[in-house]
């Protein structure tokens, strides 16, 4: 899987298993400043932490459910 569009250049050679433990600012568009704020607000340090964040899960669920709402 080509993840080059999703992560910063220095992380492109990492496997998906390695990326799970990578800092959240490895994601394209997430700056070091953003990562600092995520850590302060939610104790998010890694890509895994972000994916497991309950607020992210809730937001995704709301969006999925909204698609089926009449």
């Amino acid at each position: 899987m080509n993840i080059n569009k999703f992560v910063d250049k220095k992380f492109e050679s990492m496997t998906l298993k390695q990326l799970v433990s990578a800092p959240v600012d490895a994601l394209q568009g997430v700056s070091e400043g953003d990562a600092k704020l995520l850590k302060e607000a939610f104790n998010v340090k890694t890509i895994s932490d972000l994916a497991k964040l309950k607020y992210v899960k809730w937001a995704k669920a709301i969006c999925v459910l909204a698609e089926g709402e009449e």
Side-chain angles (χ1 to χ4, degrees):
M1 177 174 188
N2 186 346
I3 49 123
N4 295 355
K5 294 181 180 180
F6 308 127
V7 297
D8 286 340
K9 190 133 188 95
K10 71 179 189 177
F11 296 94
E12 288 179 355
S13 63
M14 294 177 84
T15 66
L16 294 173
K17 287 184 179 185
Q18 292 170 324
L19 283 170
V20 168
S21 299
V24 72
D25 60 337
L27 296 168
Q28 282 192 15
V30 179
S31 70
E32 288 182 17
D34 296 333
K36 181 180 176 190
L37 292 171
L38 284 166
K39 184 177 181 204
E40 290 172 4
F42 303 110
N43 199 32
V44 168
K45 296 174 257 174
T46 67
I47 291 173
S48 177
D49 293 339
L50 181 61
K52 292 176 184 175
L53 186 63
K54 67 181 176 182
Y55 306 108
V56 171
K57 290 180 179 183
W58 293 348
K60 287 183 71 169
I62 289 168
C63 290
V64 168
L65 293 171
E67 290 176 11
E69 189 175 49
E70 294 180 16

